[in-house]
Amino acid sequence: MSDAILVEELVKCFDDFTAVDGVSFRVRQGEVFGFLGPNGAGKTTTINILCTLLKPTRGLVLVNGFDVVKQAGQVRSSIGLVFQDPSLDVQLTALENLEFHAYLYNVPAAQTRARAEQLMQMLGLWNRRNDLVRNFSGGMRRRLEVARGLLHRPLILFLDEPTVGLDPQTRRYIWDYILQQRREGLTIFLTTHYLDEAEYCDRVAIIDRGRIIALDTPGSLKASVGGDVILVRTADNRRAEDELHRLLGIAAREQDGALRLNVPRADEFIPRLCRLSTPLVSVSVSHPTLDDVFIKLTGRAIREEEGGGEEMRQMARLWGGRRR
Ligand SMILES: Nc1ncnc2c1ncn2[C@@H]1O[C@H](COP(=O)(O)OP(=O)(O)O)[C@@H](O)[C@H]1O
Ligand SMILES: [Mg+2]
């Protein structure tokens, strides 16, 4: 099966500033692929090039096998877009927005109504189909944009920061819908600076200053930080420590009456832990986050760059001050 997206050595310069600096990756058909990075990393620039809204300075980009420069029309009709900045016509009703889109994309008129109804039912908008979009909340508008992005049955759906600024319930709702679409074989490419959103992806490219600094499944990326931490309370820590060392080759450290273990993957290790003859009293696990991956690679946190990260920045300044 050919790749849904193929990007080779993509570069985008704005005058003498390089926003995308030699990025290469492939997205498989049916995959949810995420670009995770702080503000200014080059996510929107990249997705805009993939969607033919911006021309690359250099490099090769194929979307559904079509070249974004030479076959922009074919690329456009085979993809759907949901962007962070709203692009609905607020003077029209929800249904009229979808009908207009269907017209632009040559969806046969006979099919438009049924597809619009199905999508609006799924996204909880059907009862509001005849209301002006002007009166819609931010969450409803975003859901309508998702419906619109899917109306012409694209092979790939592009989402730029799809749930930024939305309440947790609406974010969850949109994500449930996106993941359902994946089960039906849709390929999804999204950008985000939300760690939880990146966790939903099959694979994540971590992008910083125009470059991909890591690319893998969320699980493998987190494992690369150095694994999980397990805290075990046992009936006899001495005996457990000895068994861990002898049978499993793991050096445990005592901490606050519990044994602390570093393992590559807790989910795979805990079944082995349960086979020790020393009775276990409790087991707790903490996992590294994708932010830990970003910190390990860059020395900075993704969330520092978010709005509301002022506290973090203050802390960073304090720490810097103390070192001097
Ligand atoms: N049209 C433009 N002209 C000049 N600089 C731009 C333009 N668009 C984006 N940039 C710059 O490119 C960098 C990447 O921007 P962008 O792709 O929007 O990042 P992200 O979406 O990851 O926040 C930023 O430093 C931004 O200021
Ligand atoms: Mg952006």
Side-chain angles (χ1 to χ4, degrees):
M1 218 194 292
S2 61
D3 294 312
I5 302 173
L6 171 71
V7 176
E8 279 177 2
E9 290 300 320
L10 174 64
V11 173
K12 178 66 186 182
C13 304
F14 297 109
D15 301 323
D16 57 355
F17 177 73
T18 307
V20 177
D21 192 7
V23 152
S24 303
F25 61 93
R26 288 159 183 255
V27 178
R28 302 177 194 119
Q29 285 176 17
E31 188 171 35
V32 178
F33 189 94
F35 249 38
L36 171 71
N39 285 330
K43 304 183 296 296
T44 296
T45 304
T46 305
I47 202 170
N48 281 349
I49 292 170
L50 269 48
C51 296
T52 75
L53 301 175
L54 261 183
K55 279 212 158 44
T57 305
R58 277 197 298 284
L60 175 73
V61 180
L62 301 182
V63 173
N64 290 318
F66 300 118
D67 186 301
V68 291
V69 179
K70 298 182 199 129
Q71 298 167 296
Q74 283 110 311
V75 171
R76 274 182 216 181
S77 56
S78 70
I79 63 174
L81 313 175
V82 180
F83 280 162
Q84 185 182 334
D85 295 326
S87 59
L88 297 161
D89 190 331
V90 298
Q91 308 295 345
L92 298 179
T93 67
L95 188 57
E96 284 166 349
N97 265 282
L98 295 192
E99 284 168 348
F100 183 58
H101 179 83
Y103 170 74
L104 291 180
Y105 277 81
N106 296 318
V107 178
Q111 291 175 24
T112 299
R113 182 73 179 206
R115 284 195 207 170
E117 175 168 356
Q118 189 208 4
L119 284 162
M120 289 175 108
Q121 292 276 17
M122 300 288 296
L123 286 156
L125 291 169
W126 184 239
N127 293 338
R128 303 291 300 271
R129 64 189 175 279
N130 294 321
D131 290 3
L132 294 181
V133 169
R134 191 188 330 144
N135 300 323
F136 276 21
S137 68
M140 288 166 69
R141 290 180 191 201
R142 197 67 53 83
R143 280 183 278 149
L144 184 59
E145 294 198 310
V146 173
R148 186 183 59 178
L150 292 169
L151 190 67
H152 55 288
R153 306 235 163 111
L155 298 170
I156 307 180
L157 183 64
F158 287 93
L159 304 136
D160 193 12
E161 308 257 5
T163 67
V164 79
L166 299 180
D167 61 274
Q169 199 187 344
T170 307
R171 294 181 65 198
R172 184 69 237 183
Y173 200 97
I174 290 178
W175 266 102
D176 282 347
Y177 190 74
I178 292 174
L179 296 177
Q180 190 180 329
Q181 294 302 308
R182 162 176 49 191
R183 284 194 289 277
E184 291 176 14
L186 182 73
T187 304
I188 294 162
F189 181 96
L190 69 116
T191 76
T192 187
H193 67 278
Y194 288 142
L195 303 169
D196 58 335
E197 213 157 64
E199 294 278 349
Y200 291 122
C201 299
D202 295 310
R203 287 190 305 147
V204 174
I206 299 184
I207 177 163
D208 184 43
R209 297 177 179 161
R211 291 171 188 263
I212 291 178
I213 55 175
L215 196 172
D216 213 326
T217 61
S220 300
L221 286 170
K222 288 181 288 183
S224 73
V225 174
D228 298 330
V229 174
I230 303 179
L231 285 179
V232 205
R233 293 182 192 281
T234 69
D236 182 344
N237 282 351
R238 277 286 119 70
R239 191 171 131 208
E241 197 178 333
D242 176 59
E243 267 195 299
L244 279 164
H245 183 67
R246 238 175 348 98
L247 304 176
L248 303 178
I250 296 276
R253 205 153 49 78
E254 193 148 21
Q255 179 188 313
D256 304 328
L259 293 174
R260 184 191 164 94
L261 324 174
N262 277 90
V263 298
R265 293 192 53 164
D267 57 342
E268 288 169 0
F269 186 78
I270 287 173
R272 299 171 67 199
L273 191 62
C274 294
R275 290 200 288 268
L276 297 187
S277 67
T278 316
L280 305 179
V281 177
S282 72
V283 179
S284 69
V285 175
S286 58
H287 304 286
T289 65
L290 288 172
D291 213 19
D292 295 324
V293 180
F294 193 77
I295 291 168
K296 184 181 171 190
L297 294 171
T298 68
R300 292 172 290 123
I302 292 176
R303 55 173 192 266
E304 260 176 50
E305 331 261 328
E306 264 183 55
E310 192 47 37
E311 258 178 28
M312 297 278 301
R313 280 189 287 276
Q314 269 178 11
M315 268 166 62
R317 276 198 293 274
L318 270 174
W319 275 97
R322 226 180 273 172
R323 244 183 267 128
R324 258 177 264 134

